[in-house]
Amino acid sequence: GESVGLHLPTLSVQEGDNSIINCAYSNSASDYFIWYKQESGKGPQFIIDIRSNMDKRQGQRVTVLLNKTVKHLSLQIAATQPGDSAVYFCAEPLNSNSGYALNFGKGTSLLVTP
Amino acid sequence: NAGVTQTPKFRILKIGQSMTLQCAQDMNHNYMYWYRQDPGMGLKLIYYSVGAGITDKGEVPNGYNVSRSTTEDFPLRLELAAPSQTSVYFCASSYSPYQPQHFGDGTRLSIL
């Protein structure tokens, strides 16, 4: 299928700073995107999602921005904490032929330093 | 609220052995999925199910089988284990295609 890819494999930020994790997608028909956080030894944990009829969605300390013109989305984490250290994936559902299974990119590793 | 439960958490198999990875969810989700994750990579779809009695192949189904006799359970079977099947296996479920999938904590499988 078409790919959902991440720009950077690793990101190091200082505690208290804001983090921005980027993701590009190639299918212009994509209409739903999800961000997951995966800590070592655990399964992906849902963070936030966004539908294509929105440009921005906010959660607790997180914001997802969607730019359909350039097929790009980003995850912003405010006041990054050590507990935010993890791998972050963006994902989108594939089509009905695969039961809308998720297409994941490789992930961005976020390291929060004190 | 258990969510998605996978057992076992770890397993070592010898080449040619068989085993079943268990997955159960208590959220009454129709959609269930099996993914595998190789080191440093994203997740790849093995099999999926859109409801009890309905299963279908994903991107990497060779060497695996599934069944879905109930809404809650979606076991994954490895019949003849091969070293290429060394991976971390994740089960996930969702209520609908436009709701987030919930994942279990995975089964780490090594085949030697």
Side-chain angles (χ1 to χ4, degrees):
Chain A
E2 299 193 59
S3 65
V4 176
L6 295 161
H7 290 304
L8 297 173
T10 59
L11 177 64
S12 183
V13 299
Q14 282 200 310
E15 182 177 358
D17 287 351
N18 297 334
S19 303
I20 300 176
I21 300 171
N22 296 305
C23 181
Y25 63 96
S26 54
N27 183 2
S28 56
S30 297
D31 57 2
Y32 179 54
F33 302 91
I34 311 166
W35 281 99
Y36 284 92
K37 171 187 180 183
Q38 186 174 24
E39 296 175 280
S40 180
K42 297 204 167 186
Q45 177 187 1
F46 168 72
I47 303 172
I48 192 168
D49 57 359
I50 189 167
R51 304 208 178 182
S52 60
N53 61 353
M54 304 173 71
D55 297 324
K56 179 180 179 179
R57 191 169 188 208
Q58 288 184 292
Q60 188 175 11
R61 285 201 304 118
V62 295
T63 300
V64 55
L65 299 177
L66 176 61
N67 185 330
K68 295 179 285 293
T69 302
V70 295
K71 292 185 283 189
H72 179 271
L73 66 159
S74 64
L75 177 70
Q76 301 179 1
I77 304 174
T80 313
Q81 302 169 358
D84 295 327
S85 292
V87 177
Y88 290 80
F89 294 94
C90 63
E92 59 172 338
L94 294 167
N95 57 28
S96 59
N97 291 338
S98 60
Y100 302 98
L102 292 175
N103 180 28
F104 287 84
K106 288 188 179 181
T108 293
S109 178
L110 176 65
L111 177 63
V112 182
T113 58
Chain B
N1 190 4
V4 178
T5 303
Q6 291 185 241
T7 56
K9 293 189 185 304
F10 304 94
R11 185 73 183 268
I12 297 174
L13 284 181
K14 294 182 179 179
I15 294 171
Q17 286 186 319
S18 301
M19 77 164 293
T20 299
L21 284 66
Q22 301 291 344
C23 174
Q25 53 89 10
D26 62 357
M27 298 172 281
N28 200 34
H29 286 170
N30 284 322
Y31 292 79
M32 295 190 74
Y33 307 88
W34 275 106
Y35 297 91
R36 60 176 285 174
Q37 185 177 35
D38 297 325
M41 303 294 288
L43 283 72
K44 292 186 177 180
L45 179 68
I46 306 172
Y47 269 94
Y48 69 94
S49 169
V50 299
I54 306 169
T55 63
D56 210 341
K57 296 177 180 179
E59 181 184 2
V60 289
N62 291 343
Y64 307 95
N65 271 302
V66 293
S67 59
R68 183 94 184 270
S69 56
T70 66
T71 299
E72 294 78 20
D73 299 298
F74 190 39
L76 177 71
R77 178 86 178 157
L78 281 71
E79 290 294 348
L80 290 171
S84 61
Q85 293 176 306
T86 293
S87 190
V88 182
Y89 291 84
F90 289 103
C91 179
S93 73
S94 68
Y95 179 72
S96 78
Y98 290 90
Q99 295 289 324
Q101 292 181 20
H102 298 265
F103 285 80
D105 279 337
T107 294
R108 283 144 188 83
L109 180 62
S110 294
I111 298 161
L112 307 175

